[in-house]
Each structure stands twice: as structure tokens, then as C-alpha cells.
């Protein structure tokens, strides 16, 4: 693989997870023509209905039989060579999957610069938990046990100790730290582009009531309904939006503990510019604590919203869940099944009857045509 020319730069945005990668990748993917005019080559990738993607990981990696990432050296070489032969001055890649593969990238692209965002560890913890409920069928309550280390920071320190910190670009995650108060504008400044971007919400966190409903719903593991229910629940705006699942005193104690830990990591990384986050963590006020329990009225409020949003699909969902035995909270199972408006049952019967009649008519017409 040829060396990077002096007028060519390669940036690899590695996340890590829960630092706005979905918003970044959706914007970059939707604005390739703008980036091209700025001399930036950002390879295309798909984005799902929720605006979420795995970024550029498939541009250079395969998934092996053990479902592990495996670098496709041919594709990587072709990508780099195509970039060198082009008029682009910057190659930008983005995927949180790259975070664990930084060493491998560095060995194959020695001149690459890696962009990583540092976030309040407790925000990361709660956001990761929310995501596990949304997309990964989590049914357990959040684990509030304090960690003895911060794995993402450990990984960055290990990388800097092996390769040096000169090609590691560390940025603070949070609106008050971002350039122009958004992560895309902030990332663009790293590669030399000044732009005030307006971002739509991507991969929204649930309101508390929606999250607890989804945690209950996950026990049934209904993959066919997963995407529709998740998308609908992201639009549920009633109830509690600002909350913490960690008791207030523990949250404050943990913040101080993690702030001290971050200070040690930033010293090793030579990253004194991360200081504002550490200072803010020592003086932060947590969101109001809520215990992970729903009242009947809260549960039914979410049910009614889903029914209004999903319509007939909600009836079909209640019928499928009716046949399943609940592991957690059978009382909610009964409430859910009975929450469906009878009109959807009649609409379903009407549609089934209409479909049956259509098949019967087609069968009769076919029989008559064969007879004559």
C-alpha cells in the first residue's frame, strides 16, 4: 500500500459508542456532494429508517463465521489507492466499530488520524442502557455498580502508549463543548471545515415510561414487531423526559469518583483540554431519580399511544402476546391484551372476510373458465 502523500490526509472517526455517531453518519451520508466540494471523500453507506447505521465498517471489514470483524485488506488497499488517485484531499471514515480496531488501522495506514469523543461516563452508562432496552431486548434493570476502570479511556491510553498521542484527536462530547453546539460542526472543524449545521434528532432516547414499557415488552422477544414498536415509542413525548436511573447520592459520588479517574487518564494522554468535562463532573447536578416501576395509568398511557400510532397492527400485536405467557409482571400482560379497542377486532375480521371472498371469487371464476 502506498504511503499517504503530504497533501492528503486520512481521518478515522471511531466514536466510541454513545457519542453521537448516528447523527454524524446520517449527516455525512446525506451531504456527500457538499463534502466533495470541500475536497472530502466520505464513502457511501446505508442508513436505516431510524437514521442509524454502522457507518463505513463494511467498506473495509467483513464478518467472519464467528461474527467477528475481519479486515478485508484488498478493499482497504483499493480504497486508499482510489483516494490517492483522486482529487480529494481528505479521506474521512466513520464507525464506532473502528474503536477496537485502531491498532490494526494504524499498522496499515500509519499516517491516519483518529478522532474520538470523551463523554461523561455516567451519561454513557445510562445512554447505553437505554439503547439496550430499545434495540437489544434488555429486560433487566440497570446495573448501577461502580466500575473500577473506564474501558474506553483504557483503550485510548493503550493506543497512545504504543503509537504516541500525536495522531489521536480527542474531543469533548456535549452540546456545551461542541463547536456551534452540535457534534457534526465540531467534527468538521477537526478536518478544517467551518459550518454551522442544524441537526434533526436521530436515534432518540425514550421517555421513562416508554423505556419501562419496552423493557416489559422485550420479554416476549417479538422480532417482527421490534422495529415498528421502537420507532413508535421514540415519538412518545408524554411523561418524564429528564431522569436518571441512578439514585441521586450515588450519582454524585460516582461523578466525583469518575472525574478523579478521568484526571489520571488525561494526564497519561497529555490531554489537558479535557479539563472542562472533569470540572463540570465535580459540580454537576443529576437529573431527578426515578425507580424502574410503572403505574397502571402510565402503562396504559403508552398502550393508548401505541394503539393510536400502530392502528390495526396494535390489535395483531395484542393477539400475539395473548398467546404468550409472561415471565415478568403478568398484571401488565392482562392490561395490555384488554387495552385494544374492539373496533380493530371488527376491522380485522372485515379485512379477513374480504380477503376470503376475493379468493373465493377468483377460484369460482377460474373454475367457470375451465368449464367453458
Amino acid at each position: 500500500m502506498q504511503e499517504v502523500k503530504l497533501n492528503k490526509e486520512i481521518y478515522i472517526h471511531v466514536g466510541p459508542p454513545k457519542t453521537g455517531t448516528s447523527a454524524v453518519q446520517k449527516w455525512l451520508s446525506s451531504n456527500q456532494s457538499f463534502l466533495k466540494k470541500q475536497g472530502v471523500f466520505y464513502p457511501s453507506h446505508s442508513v436505516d429508517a431510524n437514521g442509524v447505521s454502522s457507518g463505513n465498517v463494511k467498506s473495509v471489514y467483513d464478518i467472519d463465521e464467528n461474527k467477528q470483524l475481519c479486515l478485508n485488506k484488498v478493499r482497504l488497499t483499493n480504497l486508499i489507492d482510489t483516494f490517492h488517485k483522486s482529487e480529494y484531499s481528505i479521506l474521512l471514515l466513520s464507525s464506532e466499530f473502528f474503536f477496537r480496531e485502531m491498532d490494526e488501522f494504524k499498522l496499515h495506514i500509519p499516517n491516519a488520524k483518529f478522532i474520538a469523543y470523551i463523554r461523561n461516563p455516567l451519561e454513557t452508562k445510562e445512554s447505553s442502557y437505554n439503547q439496550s432496552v430499545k434495540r437489544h431486548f434488555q429486560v433487566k434493570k440497570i446495573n448501577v455498580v461502580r466500575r473500577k476502570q473506564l474501558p474506553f479511556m483504557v483503550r485510548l491510553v493503550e493506543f497512545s502508549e504504543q503509537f504516541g498521542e500525536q495522531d489521536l484527536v480527542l474531543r469533548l462530547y456535549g452540546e456545551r463543548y461542541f463547536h456551534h453546539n452540535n457534534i457534526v460542526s465540531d467534527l468538521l472543524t477537526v478536518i478544517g471545515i467551518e459550518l454551522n449545521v442544524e441537526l434533526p434528532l436521530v436515534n432518540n432516547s425514550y421517555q421513562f415510561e416508554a423505556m419501562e414499557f419496552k423493557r416489559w415488552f422485550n420479554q416476549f422477544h417479538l422480532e417482527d414487531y421490534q422495529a415498528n414498536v421502537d420507532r413508535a415509542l421514540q415519538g412518545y413525548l408524554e411523561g418524564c423526559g429528564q431522569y436518571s436511573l441512578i439514585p441521586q447520592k450515588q450519582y454524585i459520588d460516582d461523578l466525583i469518583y469518575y472525574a478523579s479517574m478521568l484526571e489520571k487518564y488525561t494526564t497519561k494522554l497529555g490531554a489537558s483540554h479535557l479539563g472542562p468535562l472533569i470540572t463540570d463532573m465535580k459540580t454537576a447536578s443529576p437529573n431527578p431519580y426515578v425507580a424502574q416501576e410503572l403505574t397502571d395509568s402510565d402503562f396504559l398511557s403508552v398502550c393508548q399511544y401505541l394503539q393510536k400510532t400502530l392502528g390495526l397492527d396494535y390489535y395483531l400485536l395484542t393477539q400475539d402476546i395473548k398467546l404468550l405467557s409472561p415471565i415478568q409482571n403478568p398484571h401488565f400482560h392482562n392490561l395490555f391484551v384488554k387495552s385494544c379497542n374492539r373496533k380493530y377486532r371488527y376491522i380485522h375480521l372485515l379485512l379477513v372476510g374480504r380477503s376470503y371472498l376475493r379468493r373465493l371469487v377468483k377460484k369460482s371464476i377460474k373454475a367457470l373458465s375451465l368449464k367453458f
Side-chain angles (χ1 to χ4, degrees), residues 55-67:
N56 301 120
V57 64
K58 292 182 180 178
S59 297
V60 290
Y61 277 90
D62 295 323
I63 306 294
D64 64 19
E65 61 275 8
N66 297 317
K67 296 185 178 180

Side-chain angles (χ1 to χ4, degrees), residues 171-182:
R171 306 288 292 181
L172 290 177
Y173 180 88
E175 284 188 13
R176 57 188 169 296
Y177 310 120
F178 294 147
H179 185 63
H180 289 312
N181 306 114
N182 75 83

Side-chain angles (χ1 to χ4, degrees), residues 133-174:
V133 173
K134 287 175 65 174
R135 302 276 164 77
H136 304 296
F137 298 100
Q138 177 66 263
V139 295
K140 295 180 180 180
K141 295 181 179 181
I142 191 171
N143 179 2
V144 298
V145 175
R146 181 187 293 176
R147 305 192 72 151
K148 294 182 179 180
Q149 62 180 15
L150 299 174
F152 293 155
M153 297 304 297
V154 171
R155 179 73 193 89
L156 292 170
V157 169
E158 290 174 347
F159 179 87
S160 69
E161 288 176 345
Q162 183 174 357
F163 299 102
E165 68 273 3
Q166 66 277 0
D167 291 326
L168 194 57
V169 182
L170 302 180
R171 306 288 292 181
L172 290 177
Y173 180 88

Side-chain angles (χ1 to χ4, degrees), residues 14 32 43 68 84 134 151 164 219 224 254 265 270 283 306 308 324:
V14 299
Q32 287 175 293
Q68 299 296 313
H84 284 314
K134 287 175 65 174
Q219 68 182 298
D224 289 345
D254 285 355
Y265 288 128
T283 58
L306 279 178
K308 181 179 178 180
L324 301 173

Side-chain angles (χ1 to χ4, degrees), residues 290-307:
V290 288
Q292 287 188 258
E293 303 289 344
L294 282 184
T295 64
D296 288 2
S297 60
D298 287 336
F299 181 83
L300 287 172
S301 174
V302 179
C303 290
Q304 294 307 312
Y305 171 80
L306 279 178
Q307 182 166 209

Side-chain angles (χ1 to χ4, degrees), residues 236-293:
Y236 181 79
L237 302 178
E238 297 180 32
C240 182
Q242 297 295 320
Y243 60 91
S244 174
L245 304 176
I246 303 171
Q248 189 174 58
K249 185 180 184 305
Q250 180 181 346
Y251 194 101
I252 293 172
D253 290 345
D254 285 355
L255 273 180
I256 295 172
Y257 170 82
Y258 287 129
S260 176
M261 193 179 292
L262 270 178
E263 279 186 304
K264 296 176 182 177
Y265 288 128
T266 54
T267 299
K268 291 180 179 180
L269 289 165
S272 59
H273 64 284
L274 302 181
L277 172 61
I278 296 169
T279 299
D280 289 344
M281 286 173 61
K282 290 179 178 179
T283 58
S285 297
N287 287 322
Y289 167 70
V290 288
Q292 287 188 258
E293 303 289 344

